[in-house]
């Protein structure tokens, strides 16, 4: 059966919304001070550059794009693995692995400590699980009507 593009967008926007909420809370209240200290230790003033309005808008848009891609991946693997939370978890783990590999570059360049990387990895795993589950809940292959 074909992927229901409208439901991918609906589920993807929901997943992106969940990602944005978790990212806001974790990056503002949980990791904010630590991220600021480590980025400024790497390059003074870097944390201010990362928090401009343009940068924040980019983070928000990127979470929605990731949400849509996450639900699209769920929809693509759903015929093989079946609908539901188990398949959404597979999609979430794939995205988490890719994001963790990407983020490890920051650790290897000295932009973040291993401890901060592991904290990001854990929060990212929870974020991708909750986002994928929310998006998958709204996805179906039936008609939109």
């Amino acid at each position: 059966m074909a992927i229901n593009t409208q439901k991918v967008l609906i589920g993807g926007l929901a997943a992106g919304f969940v990602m944005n909420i978790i990212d806001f809370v974790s990056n503002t209240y949980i990791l904010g001070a630590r991220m600021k200290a480590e980025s400024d230790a790497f390059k003074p003033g870097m944390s201010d550059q990362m928090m401009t309005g343009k940068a924040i808008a980019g983070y928000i848009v990127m979470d929605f794009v990731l949400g849509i891609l996450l639900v699209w991946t769920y929809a693509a693997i759903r015929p093989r693995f079946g609908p539901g939370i188990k398949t959404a978890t597979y999609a979430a783990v794939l995205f988490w692995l890719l994001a963790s590999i990407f983020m490890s570059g920051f650790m290897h360049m000295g932009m973040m400590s291993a401890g901060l990387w592991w904290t990001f990895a854990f929060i990212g795993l929870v974020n991708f699980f909750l986002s994928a589950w929310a998006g998958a809940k709204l996805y179906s292959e039936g008609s939109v009507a």
Side-chain angles (χ1 to χ4, degrees):
M1 182 172 266
I3 291 177
N4 187 332
T5 305
Q6 278 187 295
K7 292 286 182 123
V8 165
L9 289 175
I10 292 167
L13 291 174
F17 180 77
V18 171
M19 279 187 205
N20 271 296
I21 296 299
I22 293 171
D23 282 347
F24 173 76
V25 170
S26 64
N27 294 338
T28 302
Y29 299 108
I30 299 170
L31 297 174
R34 187 171 177 187
M35 286 174 25
K36 180 175 176 37
E38 290 195 20
S39 61
D40 284 340
F42 179 76
K43 178 185 173 199
M46 186 171 153
S47 65
D48 292 335
Q49 292 175 341
M50 293 168 48
M51 295 307 294
T52 64
K54 186 176 180 179
I56 291 171
Y59 304 145
I60 291 168
V61 169
M62 213 33 73
D63 275 353
F64 282 113
V65 170
L66 276 173
I68 292 167
L69 291 173
L70 181 60
V71 175
W72 180 84
T73 302
Y74 166 77
I77 66 174
R78 189 175 184 250
R80 177 170 300 270
F81 297 108
I85 196 168
K86 182 177 175 185
T87 302
T89 300
Y90 291 154
V93 169
L94 171 65
F95 273 67
W96 174 74
L97 284 170
L98 293 172
S100 296
I101 291 167
F102 174 76
M103 294 295 288
S104 72
F106 295 131
M107 178 180 60
H108 298 302
M109 289 185 286
M111 293 175 67
M112 70 170 56
S113 66
L116 182 58
W117 182 85
W118 280 108
T119 306
F120 264 114
F122 176 75
I123 292 172
L125 183 61
V126 172
N127 194 346
F128 280 122
F129 281 160
L130 295 176
S131 300
W133 296 341
K137 192 80 168 157
L138 297 176
Y139 179 80
S140 65
E141 292 180 342
S143 66
V144 178

